[in-house]
Amino acid sequence: MSDKQFDVVVIGGGPGGYIAAIRAAQLGFKTACIDEWSNAAGKPAPGGTCTNVGCIPSKALLQSSEHFEHAGHAFADHGIKVSGLELDLGTMLKRKDTIVKQNNDGILFLFKKNKVTFFHGRGAFAGKLEADAGYTINVSGPTTDTITAKNVVVATGSNARQLPGAEFDEKLILSNTGALAIDAVPGKLGVIGAGVIGLEMGSVWRRVGADVTVLEGLPTFLGAVDEQIAKEAHKLFTKQGLKINLGCKIGAITKGANDVTVEYADSTGAEQKATFDRLIISIGRVPNTNGLGIETVGLQLDERGFVVVDDECRTSLPGVWAVGDVVRGPMLAHKAEEEGVAVAERIAGQHGHVNFNTIPWVIYTSPEIAWVGKTEQQLKAEGVQYKAGTFPFMANGRARALGDTSGMVKFLADATTDEILGVHIVGPMASELISEAVVAMEFKASSEDIARICHAHPSLSEATKEAALAVDKRSLNF
């Protein structure tokens, strides 16, 4: 096999792509990964949206802004006096960029370690080889080349959805990309969309001084979240100062020299107008197949632009697979990673597995929101008989010591078998606490199983145990 011939070529170096490439190489395949992301210096920046303008930089800014807010408000309760507090936004953004580069470089190191050949550029199908022997892939950009592959994994991710009439310029009208790089704290910040990105970015800029207004089209807040948890979160975010307006119908959006005006009808139908220094639009994401050469080989897309795959991520073409945001299912980095591993193992003749029912969801606001499995409203709609148990963090000793007692843990279990059907958390470190629930559900555990397990004291995880006890109405500390 020549240097231009590969067993597996992965197009896209985001979480699904780079993980698929590494796992394929571990399984003995000659593997390449193509990715076009570049940093400010023009160097390769694999990791996709997640690493470059998504999960990683947003968490960096969330952490920095939370420190700033704590120093200005919460430290006094701990007997720590801070005078002359000021924000150095340039340093905050530079720290974020450093963390992104560390992750980029880490992926490049992993490619070398696992003997994955990396091509810096855009990968596109150029044609099929004879006798179904694979595909020709062109690489264009910083690297120009033509390679062949027996198996191709499409992992090209997603792009921010545009709002018609309000195209992103990343200066006044911002996607997630621009929202992570505002060079001065805006006096008034508008956010269209109260989803994960809208709430996280709104929280970042509110903490450092912006007056943030969120405009959401749906009449309910966080409709995918358990209703009881969502109501608690809405109350807490409003108390913090986020102005959340539900049931808004967006009209004209007009850019001025240094501001953006949004016309909208509120939930009562009354016409409103608001002017912002910056406007973040976060109304979802769309699959990215731009420049992939799908017409060349006849790769099938559905009516929404997603690559059509079966339950095992096989596309309409033999030897072509697709994972992550470009296919059906939740647009989550960890879902993409699991699909990447599963596809590599399926190519090797193994039985890769992804359980969509136990994929955790997290919103990294403060308090954090995390959940896995069914919500109470889903169980009601499906006619499933269930039991519920909740436990508030205000009754948890570790939460009191931390100074963050907001929120609760909620368990939902089958009324007959007691099998855990869903766990929902709003509160401190929810993103870490949810993993216990994921493990429990993978092993088909009952709420009684969690209730009987010894949890360290004092710890936030005791709230999980207590919520499990509450399913049987025998919580010990509330």
Side-chain angles (χ1 to χ4, degrees):
M1 187 179 290
S2 76
D3 290 343
K4 302 298 176 74
Q5 295 175 305
F6 295 90
D7 297 315
V8 178
V9 168
V10 182
I11 303 177
Y18 88 79
I19 289 293
I22 289 171
R23 185 67 185 123
Q26 289 176 345
L27 290 165
F29 294 115
K30 184 180 179 184
T31 305
C33 184
I34 308 167
D35 188 82
E36 69 173 341
W37 278 90
S38 300
N39 60 24
K43 300 295 184 182
T49 294
C50 173
T51 295
N52 290 290
V53 291
C55 319
I56 301 303
S58 64
K59 302 312 158 287
L61 289 185
L62 281 160
Q63 188 64 63
S64 296
S65 62
E66 190 167 351
H67 284 327
F68 181 76
E69 185 167 62
H70 284 176
H73 301 284
F75 278 6
D77 291 339
H78 294 264
I80 302 171
K81 296 182 179 180
V82 178
S83 59
L85 180 67
E86 60 180 289
L87 177 72
D88 183 343
L89 183 58
T91 298
M92 185 182 290
L93 295 174
K94 184 177 179 181
R95 174 182 180 272
K96 177 258 299 180
D97 293 338
T98 297
I99 291 168
V100 168
K101 187 176 185 303
Q102 288 171 342
N103 280 266
N104 296 145
D105 293 345
I107 294 168
L108 292 170
F109 167 77
L110 290 170
F111 282 160
K112 289 182 180 179
K113 176 184 176 183
N114 289 280
K115 297 181 173 57
V116 174
T117 302
F118 176 69
F119 292 92
H120 185 202
R122 177 180 288 257
F125 287 101
K128 296 180 182 179
L129 300 176
E130 294 181 1
D132 288 332
Y135 300 85
T136 303
I137 307 292
N138 284 342
V139 182
S140 60
T143 300
T144 301
D145 217 326
T146 299
I147 60 179
T148 64
K150 292 179 181 177
N151 293 276
V152 180
V153 181
V154 176
T156 48
S158 62
N159 296 316
R161 184 186 298 277
Q162 300 257 11
L163 187 64
E167 286 68 32
F168 299 122
D169 62 11
E170 306 301 5
K171 295 177 181 177
L172 292 175
I173 300 178
L174 315 171
S175 69
N176 53 292
T177 300
L180 290 160
I182 302 174
D183 58 6
V185 177
K188 291 185 178 295
L189 174 66
V191 181
I192 297 179
V196 176
I197 295 170
L199 290 174
E200 289 186 358
M201 290 297 92
S203 293
V204 165
W205 295 107
R206 179 201 62 76
R207 292 170 187 166
V208 296
D211 180 358
V212 180
T213 299
V214 181
L215 305 175
E216 167 59 46
L218 295 174
T220 56
F221 181 66
L222 292 176
V225 177
D226 184 88
E227 188 175 350
Q228 184 179 8
I229 297 296
K231 285 182 177 178
E232 179 71 10
H234 185 276
K235 180 180 71 176
L236 293 167
F237 294 150
T238 301
K239 185 178 179 181
Q240 291 171 2
L242 279 181
K243 300 170 185 173
I244 302 171
N245 299 276
L246 303 175
C248 299
K249 185 175 181 181
I250 304 299
I253 296 177
T254 308
K255 284 201 299 183
N258 297 298
D259 56 27
V260 183
T261 299
V262 180
E263 297 176 36
Y264 66 97
D266 64 21
S267 58
T268 69
E271 295 296 327
Q272 305 287 348
K273 182 184 288 188
T275 299
F276 304 107
D277 298 302
R278 296 289 188 277
L279 178 67
I280 298 171
I281 297 179
S282 54
I283 55 171
R285 300 184 64 81
V286 294
N288 174 30
T289 57
N290 300 333
L292 185 57
I294 54 175
E295 306 85 358
T296 305
V297 290
L299 184 64
Q300 184 182 354
L301 306 183
D302 68 13
E303 65 280 358
R304 296 183 299 159
F306 289 95
V307 176
V308 175
V309 292
D310 64 13
D311 290 344
E312 295 194 332
C313 294
R314 291 184 177 87
T315 73
S316 58
L317 299 174
V320 178
W321 312 71
V323 302
D325 284 9
V326 80
V327 303
R328 81 287 176 267
M331 288 184 167
L332 299 169
H334 43 284
K335 173 261 197 182
E337 290 181 333
E338 294 305 311
E339 286 183 329
V341 169
V343 161
E345 292 175 351
R346 288 163 187 157
I347 292 172
Q350 299 179 10
H351 300 282
H353 176 69
V354 181
N355 183 359
F356 275 34
N357 294 322
T358 54
I359 293 175
W361 295 70
V362 181
I363 304 175
Y364 293 88
T365 45
S366 181
E368 292 182 345
I369 304 168
W371 71 98
V372 62
K374 300 286 189 179
T375 64
E376 191 165 357
Q377 56 264 38
Q378 285 174 322
L379 294 177
K380 287 178 179 177
E382 295 168 9
V384 176
Q385 298 299 307
Y386 65 92
K387 299 178 292 183
T390 62
F391 186 81
F393 281 105
M394 69 177 182
N396 176 268
R398 182 69 190 279
R400 289 176 183 145
L402 286 174
D404 187 354
T405 57
S406 58
M408 70 182 78
V409 179
K410 179 176 183 177
F411 264 67
L412 298 168
D414 187 279
T416 303
T417 67
D418 196 39
E419 181 181 344
I420 301 168
L421 302 176
V423 176
H424 308 270
I425 308 172
V426 54
M429 303 304 291
S431 58
E432 303 297 334
L433 295 175
I434 200 64
S435 293
E436 179 180 10
V438 175
V439 172
M441 290 179 64
E442 279 286 357
F443 283 94
K444 303 289 185 182
S446 66
S447 65
E448 178 73 9
D449 290 325
I450 301 301
R452 292 286 180 183
I453 293 172
C454 183
H455 289 64
H457 175 77
S459 67
L460 296 173
S461 67
E462 287 179 290
T464 305
K465 174 188 176 78
E466 290 278 358
L469 283 164
V471 170
D472 194 41
K473 296 182 172 55
R474 63 179 208 269
S475 178
L476 299 168
N477 283 285
F478 184 70

